[in-house]
Amino acid sequence: MNVIGEQIKKYRIEKGITQEQLGQLIGVTTQAVSRWERGGTPDADILPHLSDVLGVSIDSLFGREEQSYALSLAKQLCQMSHEDAYKYAFSLCWAIEFGLMSDISLLDDFMNKFIRDSAIAHDKTIDYYAKIISDSGIADVRMTNDFHYFFFMVEPENGRIINQLEDFESIRKVFELFSDKKLLKIIFYIYSLQNMPVATSLISKNTGIDQNEVDRCMDTLCSFNLTTRTVVATANGDLNSYTFRKESFFIPLLCFADEIAKKNIHLFFGRFDRTKPFL
């Protein structure tokens, strides 16, 4: 069976019609439809009508829908302002979350209504979550009135998730790093600054942490390559300054830690049908 034959059969079955019914809708015989699905190719002048009846694009009949849609979407985002592009991208993430629920009845009535009419528009104190945990991966959305994020992970095709991770001890040390109260306070402070070098004396002044303790914490952060130390010669001697490596990983880590800590969580919807171990 060629690609177009496979696609015709797939979309015909998804639409819930027989070969005979499809033939009647586009004005050909049942035998013609059967021939296409076994490897034949429809005449070019039939393709527009066939795509209309099946409710798909001509590109999709040739198996190119995903590629062409992804390219079209990328071009569309490129033409937007950054602010509009991020907002639009999140609306697509929200659509992905609903789509992965595999319940088409949710789409028209529920998806848009939730955004427009729900408590999200009026109550900033509640965090709403939509979670999908399946054997194919994980999708997680969090929304308040003015704070949205989306996490999406596709299940590794070869092997389990744990095989993609560093060793247990290395990961334990990361959790140990963020469990240090003084060190975490310093990280919060540095993330509140513009991306510029900062001296330990300023960190000490604004966090209330003794400068010797600040030096200890900064040594630890340097050992994890989260900061870069620069020594500046001054009239009063050498001065250490630090530039923090503001990677994107800290914000998701902070958000998921906050999710665990939250007491006021509202699960909007969820699908939990995973049978595999998580790790």
Side-chain angles (χ1 to χ4, degrees):
M1 188 185 298
N2 64 10
V3 172
I4 192 168
E6 292 175 349
Q7 296 296 91
I8 291 172
K9 183 176 181 179
K10 181 181 84 168
Y11 293 124
R12 175 181 62 78
I13 292 173
E14 286 180 359
K15 203 167 181 66
I17 59 178
T18 65
Q19 289 181 341
E20 181 180 5
Q21 289 169 328
L22 178 58
Q24 290 173 350
L25 288 169
I26 59 177
V28 300
T29 65
T30 304
Q31 289 77 14
V33 176
S34 176
R35 187 167 59 252
W36 298 338
E37 293 187 0
R38 287 186 286 110
T41 302
D43 292 338
D45 58 348
I46 292 178
L47 291 176
H49 191 28
L50 182 60
S51 69
D52 288 342
V53 169
L54 293 175
V56 297
S57 68
I58 293 177
D59 272 348
S60 69
L61 293 177
F62 287 91
R64 298 173 54 194
E65 182 180 47
E66 181 178 345
Q67 178 182 358
S68 60
Y69 177 74
L71 181 60
S72 175
L73 175 59
K75 289 180 179 178
Q76 187 175 357
L77 290 170
C78 285
Q79 293 168 357
M80 295 180 178
S81 68
H82 280 169
E83 182 179 357
D84 289 342
Y86 271 79
K87 288 179 180 178
Y88 181 58
F90 182 80
S91 71
L92 296 174
C93 294
W94 185 232
I96 289 170
E97 189 82 7
F98 267 97
L100 291 174
M101 285 293 291
S102 302
D103 186 349
I104 201 166
S105 65
L106 291 173
L107 300 183
D108 292 334
D109 183 53
F110 207 30
M111 178 177 155
N112 291 326
K113 187 173 190 261
F114 182 70
I115 298 296
R116 291 196 307 266
D117 303 330
S118 78
I120 285 180
H122 310 290
D123 192 344
K124 294 185 178 182
T125 65
I126 298 178
D127 292 281
Y128 291 87
Y129 293 85
K131 298 177 179 292
I132 297 174
I133 303 173
S134 74
D135 287 341
S136 298
I138 296 171
D140 189 359
V141 173
R142 174 181 177 180
M143 290 196 296
T144 64
N145 183 42
D146 55 3
F147 183 53
H148 304 158
Y149 68 70
F150 178 69
F151 171 78
F152 182 75
M153 185 195 73
V154 178
E155 195 76 10
E157 292 185 7
N158 300 313
R160 295 160 61 181
I161 295 171
I162 196 169
N163 297 331
Q164 316 301 319
L165 306 179
E166 286 291 339
D167 61 275
F168 177 85
E169 182 60 19
S170 297
I171 292 176
R172 187 197 66 78
K173 287 181 179 179
V174 173
F175 281 100
E176 185 180 65
L177 170 73
F178 292 108
S179 69
D180 186 318
K181 182 177 179 179
K182 292 177 180 178
L183 202 152
L184 190 60
K185 189 173 184 180
I186 289 171
I187 294 174
F188 269 66
Y189 167 66
I190 294 177
Y191 260 81
S192 71
L193 303 176
Q194 296 290 334
N195 190 18
M196 64 180 67
V198 57
T200 51
S201 57
L202 185 62
I203 297 173
S204 177
K205 177 182 177 181
N206 285 285
T207 61
I209 300 171
D210 178 78
Q211 189 160 334
N212 289 331
E213 278 296 287
V214 172
D215 286 331
R216 176 190 68 81
C217 291
M218 300 313 291
D219 285 342
T220 301
L221 290 174
C222 285
S223 71
F224 279 88
N225 296 316
L226 294 177
T227 62
T228 302
R229 180 188 287 113
T230 303
V231 180
V232 180
T234 72
N236 298 317
D238 291 345
L239 173 69
N240 288 332
S241 67
Y242 297 89
T243 302
F244 204 85
R245 201 182 83 193
K246 294 188 177 180
E247 297 279 8
S248 61
F249 65 81
F250 180 67
I251 299 304
L253 179 64
L254 190 62
C255 288
F256 283 111
D258 181 65
E259 181 176 332
I260 295 171
K262 283 286 185 191
K263 299 296 186 292
N264 191 15
I265 289 178
H266 177 77
L267 184 62
F268 175 50
F269 68 74
R271 176 184 170 189
F272 307 93
D273 55 5
R274 187 179 180 90
T275 61
K276 298 178 182 179
F278 277 101
L279 295 178

